Amino acid sequence: MAETIYDVAVIGAGPAGTQAAVSASHQMRHVLVLHSGKVSFSRGRAYWSKSVEIEDAPVFPGIIGPHFAKELMKWMESRPVVDFMLGSEKRKTGIEICDGLVQKLTRNGDLFELQASTKTLKQNTPLEVTCFKSRTVVVAAGFDDKWPDIEFEAGEERLYKQYATVFRYAGNKKGWHVCIRCDGHLHVNEHLALLGVGDYIYEAAIGAQDFTDKITILTNGRPHGMSPSVLEQVKARKINIIETEIKRHIGEKTDLLGFEMVDGTELFFHGFLVDEGLIPNTKFLEGWDYQKDEEGLIVANEDMQMLDSNGEPIPGLFAAGDIISGERNLIATAFALGQEAGLSASDSLRRWHFPH
Ligand SMILES: Cc1cc2nc3c(=O)[nH]c(=O)nc-3n(C[C@H](O)[C@H](O)[C@H](O)COP(=O)(O)OP(=O)(O)OC[C@H]3O[C@@H](n4cnc5c(N)ncnc54)[C@H](O)[C@@H]3O)c2cc1C
């Protein structure tokens, strides 16, 4: 059987990757979507809205994260791969969805090679890696939020076990939030705890002011690290800063109520927001010369094409969604950027182009 060479390979099946895949297949391309969902614990950021309904995403009113992920999957499944003739040429169009955590992306001549582990990782067994080939690639792998080191099990190997207690409360109405714009409306006039340090955490406080002015900043044992001008504003707005280390969560089932601090005091809040930064899901790009910002997010041009360090577009390599630098980390933005990337990847495969 002839080896499959896809027109577009999309890495990630969040809103950005799903939209990129649908848009490219709508232009009659043969699309592969590799998503880590079943192979690893990484499910995409939207998945984390476990009991909080997503209210501002197009077409899906009041949907929770796991249902949203299923709907995205159904949307892609509605475009199965079929053969068609373009003139006298036999082609394929549609979306093939494959469980696979992309480990490495390389270029071999005109083609990209994507090495992905396609079976769930098990202890003491080697990775099962499959190689896929494609003419273009859309990177839509997003990022993971950094979680707070409270009741953190450093000895555990897997992230989800290290942060098991934090994850119990994450994405619940009464639990850890990571996006004030997304979840601030749940806490109008309520007392919010913001966890983080530096001027960065004041940005979260600036966002929180649309919902409440009862704000406490918790640094979890670190110096607050704010610059004098920011500190002055924090004081003027009567935002309390508590630098004591947090010992443990105080919760009821999956509801987070507050914290026991190392000095024995107990603090209670209505809402909890962590803003400790992010980890970009771009390990598979190691070895590529591409532009990224100080957080590791990808810099792309207006066609969502990735750029090399000279600012030149990297042929065939596109990116979309939360992984893009300087864009809002929201679902509607991810859809829009995904559409641009999917269409640009598709356009780059056209046989004729306008003369330069
Ligand atoms: C708790 C929470 C609540 C939120 N609420 C809202 C809200 O109410 N409204 C809103 O607009 N936004 C909300 N957001 C933000 C929104 O979820 C993100 O902006 C959006 O999901 C970004 O889409 P994306 O496709 O770029 O990335 P993601 O949705 O993060 O998807 C990335 C995909 O890539 C996959 N992946 C990662 N690495 C690999 C790899 N190596 N190989 C293969 N696949 C890989 C992941 O499994 C995932 O499927 C929320 C985020 C969180 C965390």
Side-chain angles (χ1 to χ4, degrees), residues 12-16 36 42 44-46 49 56 100 102 140-141 178 182 321-322 329-331:
S36 54
S42 166
R45 290 187 82 226
S49 271
D56 57 344
V102 177
V178 292
C182 306
D322 274 6
N329 301 138
L330 290 168
I331 291 167

Side-chain angles (χ1 to χ4, degrees), residues 10-19 33-50 52-58 63 65 68-69 72-73 98-104 114-117 139-145 147 170-172 176-183 185 280-284 320-324 328-335 337-338:
V10 178
I11 305 174
T18 300
Q19 178 71 65
V33 175
L34 286 164
H35 78 111
S36 54
K38 287 193 189 142
V39 179
S40 83
F41 194 64
S42 166
R43 300 257 155 93
R45 290 187 82 226
Y47 196 88
W48 279 107
S49 271
K50 288 189 290 203
V52 182
E53 289 161 2
I54 299 165
E55 295 191 14
D56 57 344
I63 194 166
F68 179 63
L72 294 178
M73 210 43 80
C98 187
D99 297 333
L101 180 73
V102 177
Q103 309 279 348
K104 192 139 196 61
L114 300 99
Q115 290 181 30
S117 60
V139 176
F143 61 74
D144 285 324
D145 296 281
W147 296 98
N172 292 322
W176 283 115
H177 306 297
V178 292
C179 169
I180 190 68
R181 269 188 207 284
C182 306
D183 299 344
H185 67 282
N281 293 326
T282 47
K283 262 189 115 176
F284 52 84
D322 274 6
I323 196 61
I324 297 293
R328 291 194 190 281
N329 301 138
L330 290 168
I331 291 167
T333 308
F335 277 128
L337 299 179

Side-chain angles (χ1 to χ4, degrees), residues 40-325:
S40 83
F41 194 64
S42 166
R43 300 257 155 93
R45 290 187 82 226
Y47 196 88
W48 279 107
S49 271
K50 288 189 290 203
S51 68
V52 182
E53 289 161 2
I54 299 165
E55 295 191 14
D56 57 344
V59 195
F60 304 98
I63 194 166
I64 58 165
H67 294 171
F68 179 63
K70 270 194 199 148
E71 290 301 321
L72 294 178
M73 210 43 80
K74 275 201 235 161
W75 191 23
M76 290 193 285
E77 284 163 359
S78 72
R79 308 190 67 86
V81 178
V82 291
D83 292 322
F84 75 104
M85 297 297 292
L86 185 66
S88 57
E89 197 185 327
K90 199 172 166 200
R91 289 192 176 194
K92 284 184 191 298
T93 175
I95 304 174
E96 198 171 312
I97 309 164
C98 187
D99 297 333
L101 180 73
V102 177
Q103 309 279 348
K104 192 139 196 61
L105 177 70
T106 45
R107 195 201 286 279
N108 189 353
D110 285 345
L111 295 181
F112 290 95
E113 291 183 352
L114 300 99
Q115 290 181 30
S117 60
T118 44
K119 289 268 160 61
T120 313
L121 266 182
K122 289 207 185 91
Q123 243 178 356
N124 306 325
T125 49
L127 270 185
E128 212 165 294
V129 175
T130 310
C131 184
F132 299 88
K133 292 188 177 171
S134 183
R135 295 186 173 90
T136 63
V137 169
V138 176
V139 176
F143 61 74
D144 285 324
D145 296 281
K146 279 193 189 157
W147 296 98
D149 288 344
I150 307 168
E151 295 182 78
F152 173 72
E153 301 288 342
E156 294 287 355
E157 250 181 60
R158 302 283 184 80
L159 196 74
Y160 71 93
K161 287 198 172 156
Q162 290 178 337
Y163 286 98
T165 312
V166 176
F167 286 176
R168 184 191 316 156
Y169 303 113
N172 292 322
K173 287 182 185 162
K174 270 178 158 289
W176 283 115
H177 306 297
V178 292
C179 169
I180 190 68
R181 269 188 207 284
C182 306
D183 299 344
H185 67 282
L186 296 168
H187 300 294
V188 175
N189 290 319
E190 291 189 346
H191 192 175
L192 264 188
L194 308 184
L195 194 146
V197 288
D199 289 351
Y200 206 51
I201 197 64
Y202 185 55
E203 283 183 29
I206 289 175
Q209 69 178 306
D210 293 336
F211 310 100
T212 184
D213 49 16
K214 292 173 208 137
I215 298 170
T216 296
I217 290 175
L218 302 175
T219 70
N220 194 18
R222 295 160 294 178
H224 62 69
M226 290 176 211
S227 60
S229 54
V230 164
L231 197 58
E232 201 179 308
Q233 287 205 6
V234 166
K235 283 187 182 149
R237 300 206 154 92
K238 299 195 171 50
I239 296 173
N240 197 11
I241 302 176
I242 297 176
E243 292 180 320
T244 315
E245 193 179 332
I246 298 169
K247 186 173 170 199
R248 64 175 193 93
H249 297 84
I250 302 173
E252 247 175 38
K253 293 188 179 157
T254 55
D255 285 352
L256 179 58
L257 309 175
F259 305 109
E260 183 189 325
M261 313 302 277
V262 287
D263 63 6
T265 53
E266 291 185 345
L267 301 175
F268 294 91
F269 303 93
H270 299 105
F272 306 83
L273 180 101
V274 53
D275 201 342
E276 296 269 39
L278 57 89
I279 306 161
N281 293 326
T282 47
K283 262 189 115 176
F284 52 84
L285 287 174
E286 267 169 25
W288 282 84
D289 169 32
Y290 70 99
Q291 281 193 25
K292 53 186 170 196
D293 66 14
E294 66 284 355
E295 288 185 295
L297 298 179
I298 294 172
V299 176
N301 67 12
E302 66 281 6
D303 295 327
M304 306 318 297
Q305 194 161 8
M306 288 176 59
L307 305 171
D308 67 18
S309 50
N310 295 320
E312 290 298 321
I314 305 174
L317 194 52
F318 300 83
D322 274 6
I323 196 61
I324 297 293
S325 172

Side-chain angles (χ1 to χ4, degrees), residues 340-351:
E340 192 58 50
L343 292 181
S344 297
S346 170
D347 290 356
S348 72
L349 296 169
R350 285 174 170 165
R351 289 167 299 173

